[in-house]
Amino acid sequence: MFKRIVTAAALIFGMAALAPPLSTSVEASAVCAPRETVIEQLSSKFGEIKIGSGLQGQKAIYEVWTSEMTGSWTILLTQPNGVTCIMATGEIWLEAVEKLGPGA
C-alpha cells in the first residue's frame, strides 16, 4: 500500500514538474501581431485613430485608439521588437470634456 501511495505521489509531482510553466508574458493573454498589421486593422475595420500614448520604462509603449463613428476603443502595447498586442477593447468611448489636474 505504501509503495502505491509513494508511486502515485511521484507520478503526480513528476507530471507537474514536466508541465509547461504558466506564462505571464503578454502573448499568453493578448492577441499580438506586427505593429503595421494591427494598425491597419484598427484603421480600416473600425475607423480608429490614436488619441494618446505613453512610454512604460524603456520596454513598452501603450496607446489608446478610438473611433468617433462607432465609439469603439482599443488599448495597445508595443514591445521593443515591434510586436503590438491588443490589451483591451471596448465600446462607448467617452472623451473627457476637461482635463483634471492634481487635487481636482
Side-chain angles (χ1 to χ4, degrees), residues 29-49:
S29 60
V31 175
C32 301
R35 179 173 170 71
E36 300 78 26
T37 303
V38 175
I39 299 307
E40 171 61 30
Q41 293 294 313
L42 290 178
S43 298
S44 65
K45 279 190 166 181
F46 304 102
E48 292 187 5
I49 60 169

Side-chain angles (χ1 to χ4, degrees), residues 30-86:
V31 175
C32 301
R35 179 173 170 71
E36 300 78 26
T37 303
V38 175
I39 299 307
E40 171 61 30
Q41 293 294 313
L42 290 178
S43 298
S44 65
K45 279 190 166 181
F46 304 102
E48 292 187 5
I49 60 169
K50 183 169 76 168
I51 63 164
S53 62
L55 183 64
Q56 182 186 34
Q58 295 181 354
K59 296 186 178 185
I61 296 174
Y62 281 89
E63 299 172 287
V64 177
W65 289 67
T66 66
S67 171
E68 286 185 14
M69 297 182 319
T70 65
S72 67
W73 58 268
T74 306
I75 297 176
L76 303 178
L77 169 95
T78 300
Q79 302 171 53
N81 63 3
V83 173
T84 296
C85 300
I86 298 173

